Amino acid sequence: MATVQEHLQSLMGNRVVETAGSSLTRETWRRLRANRIAMVGGAVIVFFVLVAIFAPWLAPYDPRVNTWFDQIRPSSVPGPSREHWFGLDESGRDLLSRIIYGARTSLVIGIVSLAIGASIGAIFGVLAGAFGGWADSLVMRVTDVLLSVPSLLLALSVAAVIGQSQTAVMIAVAVPNIPLFARLLRSSMMAEREKDYVGAAVSVGIKRRPLVMSHILPNSLGPMIVQGTLALATAVIDAAALSFLGLGSADPGVPEWGRMLANAQRYLNVAPHLCLIPGFVIFITVLGFNLFGESLREALDPKLRR
Amino acid sequence: MFKFIVRRLLLLIPILLGLSFLLFIWVRALPGGPATALLGERATPERVAQVNAAYGFDKPVLEQYVKYLGRILRFEFGQSITLRKDVTDELLRRFPATVELAAAAMVFAVGLGIPLGFAAAKRERSWVDSTAIVASLAGVSIPVFFLAQILKWIFALKLNWFPTIGRLQPTRELEHVTNFNLIDSVIALDWGAWVDTVKHLILPGIALGTIPLAIVARITRASVLEVLNEDYVRTARAKGMSRRIVDRRHVLRNALLPIVTVVGLQTGLLLSGAVLTETVFAWGGIGQLLSGAVLDKDYPVIQGGVMFLAVVFVLVNLIVDVLYAVIDPRIRVR
Amino acid sequence: MRQRKKLVALALVSALALAACGSDDSNSDTTSGPGGGKAGGTLVFGTSSDPVVLDGAYVSDGESLRVIDQLFETLVTTVPGGTEIESSLAKSWSASDDGTVWTFDLQTGVKFHDDTDFNAAAVCFNFDRWYNFTGVAQSAAVSYYWSTVFGGFSDGATPSLYSKCEAKDDATAIITLTAPSAAFLSGLAVSAFVIASPDALTKYEADKVGGTDDAPTFDGTFGTEHPVGTGPFKFDSWTPGDKLTIVRNDSYWGTKAILDKVIFKPIADGPARRTALETGEIQGYDLVDPADVAALADGGYQILNRPAFNVGYVGFNQAKPPLDNPMIRQAIAFALNRQALVTAKYPEGAEVATQFQPPELFGWSADVPDYSYDPEKAKALIAESGVTDLTIEFYYPSDVSRPYMPDPTANFEAFKADLEAVGFTIVPKTAPWRSGYLDDVDAGNAQMYLLGWTGDYGDPDNFVGTFFRTPQVAWGFDNQEIFDALTKARDTADAAERTKLYEAANKLIMEFLPGVPYVHTQPSLAFAPGITGYTPSPVSLESFATVSLG
């Protein structure tokens, strides 16, 4: 049924890409490279991942030691200086090191929750699209229900159940991804099913599963990467929001950007760097993912080419 | 037309049923059972028995579900554990506050978003366009609570232009007829209260509306671009119609349809963003209630609040769908 | 499209213009009254949350008590700013020789806010009401203070200190106890024992309590719409989440209040309260965040300190090894750098605690063992103890700010680092204060935990007696010597003797080391310049009646 949602999805570029053969062609890469915005976004992503991977070598100090606690006073937290480029945090730890290791935490949370959400969603989506009938209706209804709750509320409810821990945040952030990926894969599957080569293959006697694996899934890769990139961005923000509201790991020493932002609130007047730096870092990282993801989507879509 | 509405309404029922079922299982799936979840670690056998009797957890599951459904349909969500008040009463009391805030955010988002998107579309591929794209993506990249804090810091504290807490200045008295302060102040013919309300709405409205602003701008741009390239527009221009007339008559009207529907879809974003914004600005709406309830593990409130907001979200979507079908008959046919 | 753009722009500009214009009349309500002097005006005060209910018998949280203290009065009260007892609704009193029969001479000509008479019958009505609580109303979540001071109820399940109350005549009330008590009179100053209008209590079903022991519900409207007392202020209105308004009682029997109106506005976040003060949206607030104290003072705002009457401590549950080993407990005490934490995170006026009660209270001993920071000694003690498994679960509350612990997370992190430096392995555990943390501690689930206490009345029994006079699951130990010492100190009649006994008891406690006290603080309030007349009290019994806008 062509509802308003679907028309809008198509406007926002969520419709399945109609290209013959694999969508991740050299053509796509070429277009991407020509797009400056995409390159900037991509650079941010690469930078973020590198920092996360090489954190132990990049960070000047251990993010958990509070050696400089004696420099802290109720109304003063030292800001950027030569020994501490980003200054200290409110417990006397080096802020730069915590930001660097925070990238690692965010990356882990983002990837794990994305993996969980995407795989579960993809399985349901493929089943629904491949087999149609009642499987399809069931999946659609379930995703309808899940999508009827705004994603942060959904994450909040899940986190409230599981309790305060890093795992809880990861699962909570993963859940809103499930219906999104389910729908995505379903559309993909259904579009491909209509194609001639599928009909031909089936009539010749090729089984469904190898068909799905070797042809249909790869063709859905493009939109999945787009969705994945954007989902990573949302994951970082949602995880930060949950930390802000007080959920997340019981150990306050774990460097996590959202948590650092939440703790820094009370020092906004006194030591703004505590709040501005993590906030800005979250912003830039998420922006990078969004820039790249959106550019990739435009690059994949032939209709937007003029 | 009527059949269309009825069909869409009927589709609502399984969704809401499914949601209620989900929430039902949710409380009972909590580790240790619902009574333990409500009591926490202070659960002793006597207290568990007391809670089970009070809430009926010791009855068979099917009977519980039926009773639960009955309560939901009557909008009874029980008592808040921490506030000791009826959940439904509290939700209804706070709802207008959230609505007012969401409306202010939407006014901001649409009032600025449409012109920006339109401008970007007309100047496609220029630096204006690129800036608009980046800006709109930046808008969705910034954490709402961070933005709210920054806005508070700059505009309220440093510049002292706007207030930071609540919906009205505490010393101001306003008769709460509808609990929508904008309306109540008009009813009471209190001009000062009206202005005060607007002042209190500005900062949280901007904070909450930034993400929808970005999305509206992008949708406008995409939608306008699509229409601009339609054959009939090019034909009209080729025939010599002035640009302005073409814009107004064709481009705008057709481009507006999806934009109008974004308003409905954004409700979801606004409802979830409200939780964070309301906390930062001490806004007495449902969002503030929910964020406190999550930490306090006040399950009746969380259950009631999520169900309430979901119903609102779904209903708004339905209204938007119907409106869309009314405006564009092509949709109805399918 | 241009037209639309113009309209939008016009609307925006108008809104901004209106906003700018509107800013002038916003403060007109708070200017002083005629004569440019003190009379009248409205004060907006920022609180941390809404009260629970405005019925003194049912509450123990600071925000409820704050409002109750303005609307109601007790028979006796504390001197402003101190803990000594002075008269209030009772002009004078005397005790029989055996200390069990107390005669109170009441003030005359006093009326409740609903115009009914205050007299001995009303006093006895209130006492009997509390004594006759049944069911959920008896639980600790409801009538905590009655249980603390008097013990049991009329059902006889637990023995009670209270026997009966007799109204000899309109101005004389006689309260009979079952045993002599030195702390009884101080206890009466606690706001749980305010005298409310019997008429209102009955008419508005104040006794209607439902729910469960842990989640009681107050179903009558007395505590939410008709809290009728004798105090200098009357209840006006209450919109939860928004504000609570009280107005001056012009028929008050004592010195009338200066302000016309006080509005209590709940703002959960400390820095948000500060912002509200600086923008002029409120004129005062409580629980100033330590980070804000210096900046506010520099900005010309008034910072008022309550005399230190609290203690922050690290609690041990000795039922969970290795905390049952005294050497390990001592090692922990030496390992914690308490002075560093106090310097870094607590404002001026805070001091390191050496025992479980503040120095201002009699019974404080200068002779307790010294556990000053000495990590080497800590390591030596650990080695000597022979304990190999040094894993400890350390609990801290996740979302609360207490006067003795403004930032629990910061305290936790500092202590955790100190302990890990001498070899302990710390497992962090957390829960929200109201829904999980306190219950975990009380149920004995927490092994080592951050907690504290603000005194309710001026007696050491309220500090060390509350903690250590009886065996408690949270502390997990059974030390009869300490129990006996504290019981004896409480029951002794002679004041000088009591002081000596409490000093000895404190020394005993600190040798046994059931926990490590680390701070006494002077919680602060902030006010706008010009506001005068607010006297901070160590037990937070503060009146707005003497406050004026200056």
Side-chain angles (χ1 to χ4, degrees), chain A residues 2 4-5 7-8 11-12 37 144-145 147-150 152-153 156-157 160-161 237 240-241 244-245 261 265 268-269 272 275-276 279-280 282-283 286-287 290-291 294 297 306, chain B residues 15 19 26 30 134 137-138 140-143 145-146 149-150 153 157 218-219 226 229 258 261-262 265 268 272 275-276 290-291 294-295 299 306 309-310 313-314 317 321 324 331:
Chain A
V4 167
Q5 271 108 315
H7 184 115
L8 259 163
L11 266 181
M12 293 181 71
I37 294 178
D144 270 342
V145 171
L147 284 172
S148 73
V149 183
L152 183 62
L153 288 184
L156 262 181
S157 317
V161 170
I237 284 202
F244 177 81
L245 291 174
L261 195 53
Q265 272 195 90
L268 187 57
N269 295 314
C275 195
L276 294 174
F280 190 67
I282 295 178
F283 171 57
V286 173
L287 182 60
N290 277 331
L291 285 176
E294 286 301 324
R297 169 186 282 155
R306 255 172 282 278
Chain B
I15 294 182
L19 187 59
W26 176 69
L30 299 168
V134 174
L137 285 174
V140 302
S141 306
I142 197 165
F145 50 95
F146 180 56
Q149 290 281 36
I150 299 290
W153 187 45
L157 201 52
R218 250 188 59 206
I219 283 286
E226 179 167 305
N229 287 301
T261 66
V262 165
L265 293 180
S272 54
V275 173
L276 300 163
L290 266 179
S291 75
V294 169
L295 271 185
Y299 292 109
V306 171
L309 288 179
F313 181 50
V314 166
N317 277 4
D321 270 352
Y324 200 98
I331 301 294

Side-chain angles (χ1 to χ4, degrees), chain B residues 180-252:
Chain B
F180 287 95
N181 285 354
L182 285 173
I183 300 180
D184 287 340
S185 46
V186 167
I187 293 179
L189 294 176
D190 189 343
W191 184 239
W194 198 88
V195 170
D196 197 33
T197 305
V198 169
K199 274 210 299 188
H200 278 86
L201 274 172
I202 291 182
L203 281 186
I206 293 179
L208 188 58
T210 302
I211 295 182
L213 166 67
I215 296 183
V216 167
R218 250 188 59 206
I219 283 286
T220 307
R221 175 183 170 278
S223 177
V224 169
L225 273 178
E226 179 167 305
V227 174
L228 272 180
N229 287 301
E230 292 282 346
D231 293 330
Y232 69 89
V233 174
R234 279 197 245 137
T235 315
R237 292 247 207 97
K239 275 209 257 174
M241 261 198 205
S242 98
R243 209 144 179 225
R244 255 184 105 189
I245 298 179
V246 171
D247 274 356
R248 236 193 334 206
R249 224 185 267 172
H250 295 285
V251 176
L252 205 53

Side-chain angles (χ1 to χ4, degrees), chain C residues 19 74 133 151 188 208 232 247 355 427:
Chain C
T74 43
F133 278 156
L188 275 192
K208 208 162 161 212
V247 293
Q355 54 206 269
V427 175

Side-chain angles (χ1 to χ4, degrees), chain A residues 73-75 90 93 250 266-267, chain C residues 289 291 344-345 396 406-407 413:
Chain A
R73 294 287 174 278
S75 304
E90 69 277 358
R93 299 178 286 224
R266 52 154 41 108
Y267 293 98
Chain C
D289 201 276
K345 291 291 174 184
Y396 70 98
D407 188 359
E413 298 205 72

